[in-house]
Short mmCIF file of all heavy atoms in Angstrom, two decimals:
data_model
loop_
_atom_site.label_atom_id
_atom_site.label_comp_id
_atom_site.label_asym_id
_atom_site.label_seq_id
_atom_site.Cartn_x
_atom_site.Cartn_y
_atom_site.Cartn_z
N GLY A 266 9.69 4.80 1.03
CA GLY A 266 9.32 5.63 2.17
C GLY A 266 8.19 5.04 2.97
O GLY A 266 8.25 3.88 3.37
N GLU A 267 7.14 5.82 3.20
CA GLU A 267 6.05 5.39 4.07
C GLU A 267 4.76 5.07 3.32
O GLU A 267 3.77 4.70 3.94
CB GLU A 267 5.77 6.49 5.11
CG GLU A 267 6.96 6.77 6.03
CD GLU A 267 6.66 7.86 7.03
OE1 GLU A 267 5.61 8.54 6.87
OE2 GLU A 267 7.47 8.02 7.96
N LEU A 268 4.77 5.23 1.99
CA LEU A 268 3.54 5.04 1.21
C LEU A 268 3.89 4.60 -0.20
O LEU A 268 4.84 5.09 -0.80
CB LEU A 268 2.75 6.36 1.16
CG LEU A 268 1.65 6.51 0.12
CD1 LEU A 268 0.50 5.57 0.43
CD2 LEU A 268 1.15 7.96 0.07
N GLY A 269 3.12 3.67 -0.74
CA GLY A 269 3.32 3.24 -2.11
C GLY A 269 2.07 2.61 -2.67
O GLY A 269 1.11 2.33 -1.94
N GLU A 270 2.08 2.38 -3.97
CA GLU A 270 0.92 1.80 -4.65
C GLU A 270 1.02 0.28 -4.70
O GLU A 270 2.11 -0.29 -4.66
CB GLU A 270 0.83 2.33 -6.08
CG GLU A 270 0.65 3.84 -6.18
CD GLU A 270 0.73 4.32 -7.62
OE1 GLU A 270 1.26 3.58 -8.48
OE2 GLU A 270 0.27 5.44 -7.89
N VAL A 271 -0.13 -0.35 -4.80
CA VAL A 271 -0.20 -1.78 -5.08
C VAL A 271 -1.02 -1.95 -6.35
O VAL A 271 -2.18 -1.51 -6.41
CB VAL A 271 -0.86 -2.58 -3.94
CG1 VAL A 271 -0.87 -4.07 -4.29
CG2 VAL A 271 -0.12 -2.37 -2.62
N ARG A 272 -0.41 -2.55 -7.37
CA ARG A 272 -1.07 -2.71 -8.67
C ARG A 272 -1.39 -4.17 -8.94
O ARG A 272 -0.62 -5.06 -8.59
CB ARG A 272 -0.18 -2.17 -9.80
CG ARG A 272 0.04 -0.66 -9.74
CD ARG A 272 1.01 -0.18 -10.82
NE ARG A 272 1.17 1.25 -10.79
CZ ARG A 272 0.45 2.11 -11.51
NH1 ARG A 272 -0.47 1.63 -12.36
NH2 ARG A 272 0.65 3.41 -11.41
N VAL A 273 -2.52 -4.37 -9.57
CA VAL A 273 -2.93 -5.70 -10.03
C VAL A 273 -3.23 -5.58 -11.52
O VAL A 273 -4.08 -4.77 -11.92
CB VAL A 273 -4.17 -6.21 -9.28
CG1 VAL A 273 -4.60 -7.57 -9.81
CG2 VAL A 273 -3.90 -6.28 -7.78
N SER A 274 -2.50 -6.33 -12.33
CA SER A 274 -2.63 -6.24 -13.79
C SER A 274 -2.45 -4.80 -14.27
O SER A 274 -3.17 -4.32 -15.16
CB SER A 274 -3.99 -6.79 -14.24
OG SER A 274 -4.14 -8.14 -13.87
N GLY A 275 -1.52 -4.10 -13.65
CA GLY A 275 -1.18 -2.73 -14.06
C GLY A 275 -2.08 -1.66 -13.49
O GLY A 275 -1.84 -0.47 -13.71
N LYS A 276 -3.12 -2.03 -12.75
CA LYS A 276 -4.08 -1.06 -12.22
C LYS A 276 -3.90 -0.91 -10.72
O LYS A 276 -3.79 -1.89 -9.99
CB LYS A 276 -5.50 -1.53 -12.53
CG LYS A 276 -6.58 -0.54 -12.13
CD LYS A 276 -7.95 -1.06 -12.55
CE LYS A 276 -9.05 -0.07 -12.20
NZ LYS A 276 -10.39 -0.59 -12.61
N VAL A 277 -3.88 0.35 -10.25
CA VAL A 277 -3.75 0.61 -8.82
C VAL A 277 -5.07 0.24 -8.13
O VAL A 277 -6.12 0.82 -8.41
CB VAL A 277 -3.41 2.09 -8.54
CG1 VAL A 277 -3.34 2.34 -7.01
CG2 VAL A 277 -2.09 2.48 -9.18
N LEU A 278 -4.99 -0.73 -7.20
CA LEU A 278 -6.18 -1.15 -6.45
C LEU A 278 -6.08 -0.85 -4.97
O LEU A 278 -7.06 -1.00 -4.23
CB LEU A 278 -6.42 -2.65 -6.65
CG LEU A 278 -6.77 -3.11 -8.06
CD1 LEU A 278 -7.15 -4.59 -8.06
CD2 LEU A 278 -7.92 -2.28 -8.65
N GLY A 279 -4.90 -0.44 -4.52
CA GLY A 279 -4.74 -0.12 -3.11
C GLY A 279 -3.37 0.47 -2.85
O GLY A 279 -2.61 0.75 -3.78
N TYR A 280 -3.05 0.63 -1.58
CA TYR A 280 -1.79 1.25 -1.18
C TYR A 280 -1.19 0.51 0.01
O TYR A 280 -1.92 -0.06 0.83
CB TYR A 280 -2.02 2.72 -0.77
CG TYR A 280 -2.45 3.61 -1.91
CD1 TYR A 280 -3.78 3.68 -2.28
CD2 TYR A 280 -1.52 4.35 -2.63
CE1 TYR A 280 -4.19 4.48 -3.34
CE2 TYR A 280 -1.91 5.15 -3.69
CZ TYR A 280 -3.24 5.21 -4.03
OH TYR A 280 -3.63 6.00 -5.09
N TRP A 281 0.13 0.54 0.07
CA TRP A 281 0.80 0.04 1.26
C TRP A 281 1.27 1.23 2.08
O TRP A 281 1.56 2.31 1.56
CB TRP A 281 1.98 -0.88 0.92
CG TRP A 281 3.10 -0.25 0.12
CD1 TRP A 281 3.30 -0.33 -1.22
CD2 TRP A 281 4.18 0.54 0.64
NE1 TRP A 281 4.43 0.37 -1.59
CE2 TRP A 281 4.99 0.91 -0.46
CE3 TRP A 281 4.56 0.98 1.91
CZ2 TRP A 281 6.14 1.69 -0.33
CZ3 TRP A 281 5.71 1.76 2.05
CH2 TRP A 281 6.49 2.09 0.94
N PHE A 282 1.30 1.05 3.39
CA PHE A 282 1.75 2.08 4.32
C PHE A 282 2.73 1.43 5.28
O PHE A 282 2.59 0.26 5.64
CB PHE A 282 0.57 2.66 5.11
CG PHE A 282 -0.47 3.30 4.24
CD1 PHE A 282 -1.46 2.54 3.64
CD2 PHE A 282 -0.45 4.67 4.01
CE1 PHE A 282 -2.42 3.12 2.83
CE2 PHE A 282 -1.41 5.26 3.20
CZ PHE A 282 -2.39 4.50 2.61
N LYS A 283 3.74 2.17 5.69
CA LYS A 283 4.73 1.64 6.63
C LYS A 283 4.62 2.38 7.96
O LYS A 283 4.59 3.61 8.01
CB LYS A 283 6.14 1.78 6.07
CG LYS A 283 7.22 1.18 6.97
CD LYS A 283 8.61 1.35 6.36
CE LYS A 283 8.83 0.41 5.20
NZ LYS A 283 10.23 0.46 4.71
N LEU A 284 4.57 1.60 9.03
CA LEU A 284 4.49 2.15 10.38
C LEU A 284 5.41 1.34 11.29
O LEU A 284 5.25 0.13 11.40
CB LEU A 284 3.05 2.10 10.91
CG LEU A 284 2.82 2.63 12.32
CD1 LEU A 284 3.07 4.13 12.36
CD2 LEU A 284 1.40 2.32 12.77
N ASN A 285 6.37 2.01 11.89
CA ASN A 285 7.33 1.34 12.78
C ASN A 285 8.00 0.15 12.09
O ASN A 285 8.19 -0.91 12.71
CB ASN A 285 6.64 0.88 14.06
CG ASN A 285 6.08 2.04 14.87
OD1 ASN A 285 6.64 3.14 14.88
ND2 ASN A 285 4.96 1.83 15.53
N GLY A 286 8.31 0.34 10.82
CA GLY A 286 9.03 -0.69 10.08
C GLY A 286 8.15 -1.80 9.51
O GLY A 286 8.65 -2.66 8.79
N ARG A 287 6.85 -1.80 9.83
CA ARG A 287 5.95 -2.84 9.33
C ARG A 287 4.95 -2.25 8.34
O ARG A 287 4.50 -1.10 8.50
CB ARG A 287 5.20 -3.51 10.48
CG ARG A 287 6.11 -4.24 11.45
CD ARG A 287 5.31 -5.04 12.45
NE ARG A 287 4.55 -6.08 11.79
CZ ARG A 287 3.74 -6.92 12.43
NH1 ARG A 287 3.58 -6.81 13.74
NH2 ARG A 287 3.08 -7.85 11.77
N ARG A 288 4.60 -3.03 7.33
CA ARG A 288 3.65 -2.56 6.33
C ARG A 288 2.25 -3.07 6.59
O ARG A 288 2.06 -4.15 7.15
CB ARG A 288 4.09 -3.01 4.92
CG ARG A 288 5.35 -2.34 4.43
CD ARG A 288 5.57 -2.58 2.94
NE ARG A 288 6.78 -1.94 2.48
CZ ARG A 288 7.10 -1.74 1.20
NH1 ARG A 288 6.26 -2.16 0.26
NH2 ARG A 288 8.22 -1.16 0.87
N PHE A 289 1.29 -2.27 6.19
CA PHE A 289 -0.09 -2.73 6.12
C PHE A 289 -0.67 -2.24 4.80
O PHE A 289 -0.11 -1.33 4.16
CB PHE A 289 -0.92 -2.28 7.33
CG PHE A 289 -1.09 -0.79 7.48
CD1 PHE A 289 -2.20 -0.14 6.94
CD2 PHE A 289 -0.17 -0.03 8.20
CE1 PHE A 289 -2.38 1.22 7.10
CE2 PHE A 289 -0.35 1.34 8.36
CZ PHE A 289 -1.46 1.96 7.81
N TYR A 290 -1.75 -2.86 4.40
CA TYR A 290 -2.29 -2.65 3.06
C TYR A 290 -3.76 -2.22 3.15
O TYR A 290 -4.56 -2.86 3.82
CB TYR A 290 -2.16 -3.92 2.23
CG TYR A 290 -0.73 -4.40 2.14
CD1 TYR A 290 -0.20 -5.21 3.14
CD2 TYR A 290 0.09 -4.01 1.10
CE1 TYR A 290 1.12 -5.63 3.08
CE2 TYR A 290 1.41 -4.42 1.04
CZ TYR A 290 1.92 -5.23 2.04
OH TYR A 290 3.24 -5.63 1.99
N ALA A 291 -4.08 -1.13 2.49
CA ALA A 291 -5.44 -0.59 2.54
C ALA A 291 -6.01 -0.51 1.13
O ALA A 291 -5.32 -0.09 0.19
CB ALA A 291 -5.45 0.79 3.19
N SER A 292 -7.27 -0.91 1.01
CA SER A 292 -7.95 -0.84 -0.29
C SER A 292 -9.44 -0.61 -0.08
O SER A 292 -9.99 -0.96 0.97
CB SER A 292 -7.71 -2.12 -1.10
OG SER A 292 -8.26 -3.25 -0.44
N PRO A 293 -10.12 -0.04 -1.08
CA PRO A 293 -11.55 0.22 -0.95
C PRO A 293 -12.34 -1.06 -0.75
O PRO A 293 -12.03 -2.10 -1.33
CB PRO A 293 -11.91 0.86 -2.30
CG PRO A 293 -10.63 1.40 -2.83
CD PRO A 293 -9.59 0.43 -2.36
N GLY A 294 -13.34 -0.97 0.10
CA GLY A 294 -14.30 -2.05 0.23
C GLY A 294 -15.55 -1.69 -0.56
O GLY A 294 -15.93 -2.38 -1.50
#
């Protein structure tokens, strides 16, 4: 869909989002 998790070594560190068919990735700074 429009939102999903991104995991590194099994741990959620950020999320992907889809807008107009393209994804972007957001994570805490």
Side-chain angles (χ1 to χ4, degrees):
E267 298 179 349
L268 164 68
E270 299 174 342
V271 181
R272 294 176 178 267
V273 178
S274 300
K276 185 177 181 180
V277 178
L278 295 187
Y280 294 84
W281 62 262
F282 300 84
K283 183 180 286 187
L284 179 67
N285 298 327
R287 297 188 64 181
R288 291 193 180 194
F289 63 93
Y290 303 85
S292 62

